[in-house]
Coordinates of all heavy atoms in Angstrom, one line a residue:
Chain C
P114 N 124.6 -6.3 173.6 CA 123.7 -6.9 174.7 C 122.5 -7.6 174.1 O 122.0 -8.5 174.7 CB 123.3 -5.7 175.6 CG 123.8 -4.5 174.8 CD 124.8 -4.9 173.8
D115 N 122.0 -7.1 173.0 CA 120.8 -7.8 172.4 C 121.1 -9.2 172.0 O 120.3 -10.1 172.2 CB 120.3 -7.0 171.1 CG 119.8 -5.6 171.5 OD1 119.5 -5.4 172.7 OD2 119.8 -4.7 170.6
A116 N 122.3 -9.4 171.4 CA 122.7 -10.8 171.0 C 122.7 -11.7 172.3 O 122.3 -12.8 172.2 CB 124.0 -10.8 170.3
V117 N 123.3 -11.1 173.3 CA 123.4 -11.9 174.5 C 122.0 -12.2 175.1 O 121.8 -13.4 175.5 CB 124.3 -11.2 175.6 CG1 124.4 -11.9 176.9 CG2 125.7 -11.0 175.0
E118 N 121.2 -11.2 175.1 CA 119.9 -11.5 175.6 C 119.1 -12.4 174.8 O 118.4 -13.3 175.4 CB 119.1 -10.1 175.7 CG 117.9 -10.2 176.5 CD 117.2 -8.8 176.7 OE1 118.0 -7.9 177.1 OE2 116.0 -8.7 176.4
A119 N 119.2 -12.3 173.5 CA 118.6 -13.3 172.6 C 119.0 -14.7 173.0 O 118.3 -15.7 173.1 CB 118.9 -13.0 171.2
A120 N 120.4 -14.9 173.2 CA 120.9 -16.2 173.5 C 120.4 -16.7 174.8 O 120.0 -17.9 174.9 CB 122.4 -16.1 173.5
R121 N 120.3 -15.8 175.8 CA 119.8 -16.2 177.1 C 118.3 -16.6 176.9 O 117.9 -17.6 177.5 CB 120.0 -15.1 178.1 CG 119.8 -15.5 179.5 CD 120.4 -14.4 180.4 NE 121.9 -14.4 180.6 CZ 122.6 -13.3 180.5 NH1 122.1 -12.1 180.3 NH2 123.9 -13.4 180.6
G122 N 117.6 -15.9 176.2 CA 116.2 -16.2 175.9 C 116.0 -17.5 175.3 O 115.0 -18.2 175.4
M123 N 116.9 -17.9 174.4 CA 116.9 -19.2 173.7 C 117.3 -20.3 174.6 O 117.3 -21.5 174.2 CB 117.7 -19.2 172.5 CG 117.2 -18.4 171.3 SD 118.4 -17.7 170.3 CE 119.1 -19.1 169.6
G124 N 117.7 -20.0 175.8 CA 118.0 -21.1 176.8 C 119.4 -21.5 176.8 O 119.7 -22.6 177.3
L125 N 120.3 -20.7 176.3 CA 121.7 -21.1 176.4 C 122.2 -20.9 177.9 O 121.8 -20.0 178.5 CB 122.6 -20.3 175.5 CG 122.8 -20.8 174.1 CD1 121.5 -20.7 173.3 CD2 123.9 -20.1 173.4
T126 N 123.0 -21.8 178.3 CA 123.6 -21.6 179.7 C 124.6 -20.5 179.6 O 125.0 -20.1 178.6 CB 124.3 -22.9 180.2 OG1 125.4 -23.1 179.3 CG2 123.4 -24.1 180.1
E127 N 125.0 -20.0 180.8 CA 125.9 -18.9 180.9 C 127.3 -19.3 180.2 O 127.8 -18.5 179.5 CB 126.2 -18.5 182.3 CG 125.0 -17.9 183.0 CD 124.4 -16.7 182.3 OE1 125.2 -15.7 182.1 OE2 123.3 -16.7 181.9
T128 N 127.7 -20.5 180.4 CA 128.9 -21.0 179.7 C 128.8 -20.9 178.2 O 129.7 -20.6 177.5 CB 129.3 -22.3 180.2 OG1 129.0 -22.5 181.6 CG2 130.8 -22.6 179.9
Q129 N 127.6 -21.5 177.8 CA 127.4 -21.5 176.3 C 127.3 -20.1 175.8 O 127.8 -19.8 174.7 CB 126.0 -22.2 176.1 CG 126.2 -23.7 176.2 CD 124.8 -24.4 176.2 OE1 123.8 -23.8 176.5 NE2 124.8 -25.7 175.8
I130 N 126.7 -19.2 176.5 CA 126.7 -17.8 176.0 C 128.1 -17.3 175.9 O 128.4 -16.6 174.9 CB 125.9 -16.9 177.1 CG1 124.4 -17.3 177.0 CG2 126.1 -15.4 176.7 CD1 123.6 -16.5 178.1
L131 N 128.9 -17.5 176.8 CA 130.3 -17.0 176.8 C 131.0 -17.7 175.6 O 131.7 -16.9 174.8 CB 131.0 -17.4 178.1 CG 132.4 -16.8 178.3 CD1 132.5 -15.3 178.1 CD2 133.0 -17.2 179.6
T132 N 130.9 -19.0 175.5 CA 131.8 -19.7 174.5 C 131.2 -19.5 173.0 O 131.9 -19.5 172.1 CB 132.0 -21.1 174.8 OG1 130.7 -21.7 175.0 CG2 132.8 -21.3 176.0
R133 N 129.8 -19.5 172.9 CA 129.2 -19.5 171.6 C 128.8 -18.2 171.1 O 128.6 -18.0 169.9 CB 128.0 -20.4 171.6 CG 128.4 -21.8 172.0 CD 127.4 -22.8 171.6 NE 127.8 -24.1 172.2 CZ 127.0 -25.1 172.3 NH1 125.8 -25.1 171.7 NH2 127.5 -26.2 172.9
V134 N 128.6 -17.2 172.0 CA 128.1 -15.9 171.5 C 129.2 -14.8 171.8 O 129.7 -14.2 170.9 CB 126.8 -15.5 172.2 CG1 126.4 -14.1 171.7 CG2 125.8 -16.5 171.9
E135 N 129.6 -14.7 173.1 CA 130.5 -13.6 173.4 C 131.9 -13.7 172.9 O 132.5 -12.8 172.3 CB 130.5 -13.4 174.9 CG 129.2 -12.8 175.4 CD 129.1 -12.8 177.0 OE1 129.6 -13.7 177.6 OE2 128.5 -11.9 177.5
L136 N 132.4 -15.0 173.0 CA 133.8 -15.2 172.5 C 133.9 -15.0 171.0 O 134.7 -14.2 170.6 CB 134.2 -16.6 173.0 CG 135.8 -16.8 172.9 CD1 136.5 -15.7 173.7 CD2 136.1 -18.2 173.5
P137 N 133.0 -15.7 170.2 CA 133.2 -15.4 168.8 C 132.9 -14.0 168.4 O 133.7 -13.4 167.5 CB 132.1 -16.3 168.1 CG 131.5 -17.2 169.2 CD 132.0 -16.7 170.6
L138 N 132.0 -13.3 169.0 CA 131.7 -11.9 168.6 C 132.8 -11.0 169.1 O 133.1 -10.0 168.4 CB 130.4 -11.5 169.2 CG 129.1 -12.0 168.5 CD1 127.8 -11.5 169.2 CD2 129.0 -11.6 167.1
G139 N 133.4 -11.3 170.2 CA 134.5 -10.5 170.7 C 135.8 -10.8 170.2 O 136.8 -10.1 170.5
L140 N 135.9 -11.9 169.5 CA 137.2 -12.4 169.1 C 138.1 -11.5 168.3 O 139.3 -11.3 168.5 CB 137.0 -13.8 168.2 CG 138.3 -14.7 168.2 CD1 138.7 -15.0 169.6 CD2 138.0 -15.9 167.4
P141 N 137.5 -10.7 167.3 CA 138.3 -9.8 166.5 C 139.1 -8.8 167.4 O 140.2 -8.6 167.3 CB 137.3 -9.1 165.6 CG 136.2 -10.0 165.4 CD 136.1 -10.8 166.7
L142 N 138.3 -8.2 168.3 CA 138.8 -7.2 169.2 C 139.9 -7.9 170.2 O 140.9 -7.3 170.5 CB 137.7 -6.7 170.1 CG 137.9 -5.2 170.7 CD1 138.3 -4.3 169.6 CD2 136.7 -4.8 171.5
L143 N 139.6 -9.1 170.6 CA 140.5 -9.8 171.5 C 141.8 -10.0 170.8 O 142.9 -9.8 171.4 CB 139.8 -11.1 171.9 CG 140.3 -11.8 173.2 CD1 139.3 -12.9 173.6 CD2 141.6 -12.4 173.1
L144 N 141.8 -10.5 169.6 CA 142.9 -10.8 168.8 C 143.7 -9.5 168.5 O 144.9 -9.5 168.5 CB 142.6 -11.5 167.5 CG 142.2 -13.0 167.7 CD1 141.6 -13.6 166.5 CD2 143.4 -13.8 168.3
A145 N 143.0 -8.4 168.3 CA 143.6 -7.1 168.0 C 144.5 -6.7 169.3 O 145.6 -6.3 169.2 CB 142.6 -6.0 167.7
G146 N 143.9 -6.9 170.4 CA 144.6 -6.6 171.7 C 145.8 -7.5 171.9 O 146.8 -7.1 172.3

Side-chain angles (χ1 to χ4, degrees):
Chain C
D115 293 341
V117 175
E118 194 174 307
R121 197 165 280 137
M123 283 151 66
L125 272 71
T126 64
E127 293 305 301
T128 323
Q129 285 168 333
I130 291 174
L131 184 57
T132 54
R133 302 199 188 168
V134 180
E135 290 173 323
L136 195 55
L138 285 176
L140 201 57
L142 202 59
L143 204 164
L144 287 170

